[in-house]
Amino acid sequence: QVQLVESGGGLVQAGGSLRLSCAASGRTFSSYTAAWFRQAPGKEREFVAAIRGSGGSTTYADSVKGRFTISRDNAKNTVYLRADSLKPEDTAVYYCAANLYGVLTTSSGYRYWGQGTQVTVSS
């Protein structure tokens, strides 16, 4: 069992930056692949980025590649999402997710989810 708690969302102007954090419970979190998804009002939840348990492999959605960076600190059981050059279209609730199966880009591939944190980017 893994419990995930996101933090770090907020209101930022276009071009600004945020760092989201996802704190996980459980002693074996380093065994889990972790991912960030986001969901804007009226839209489906979409994949943003993922990182393998070891932290050695990352995957990004094309829409955030070059602007967002996913990382993790397994000693702290925490996954981060650094979001730079934010755009109004990045506005969404951002969710942290985890699984034991590896990097998957569909939400159905993840069993464990946090409650989400709101990111709002003003123009």
Side-chain angles (χ1 to χ4, degrees), residues 14 23 30 36 38 51 61 115:
S30 59
W36 288 94
R38 66 186 182 186
I51 186 168
Q115 82 290 347

Side-chain angles (χ1 to χ4, degrees), residues 36-103:
W36 288 94
F37 284 76
R38 66 186 182 186
Q39 188 166 18
K43 295 187 177 182
E44 294 187 353
R45 193 168 296 189
E46 66 172 356
F47 171 79
V48 175
I51 186 168
R52 290 191 180 274
S54 63
S57 176
T58 57
T59 301
Y60 295 92
D62 288 342
S63 59
V64 305
K65 200 171 294 183
R67 300 188 298 121
F68 289 15
T69 304
I70 189 171
S71 62
R72 67 191 297 162
D73 184 340
N74 285 333
K76 296 182 179 180
N77 275 9
T78 302
V79 177
Y80 304 97
L81 184 69
R82 171 76 180 189
D84 295 318
S85 302
L86 282 161
K87 305 174 182 180
E89 50 263 43
D90 295 318
T91 295
V93 177
Y94 283 70
Y95 296 91
C96 180
N99 73 28
L100 284 169
Y101 310 118
V103 174

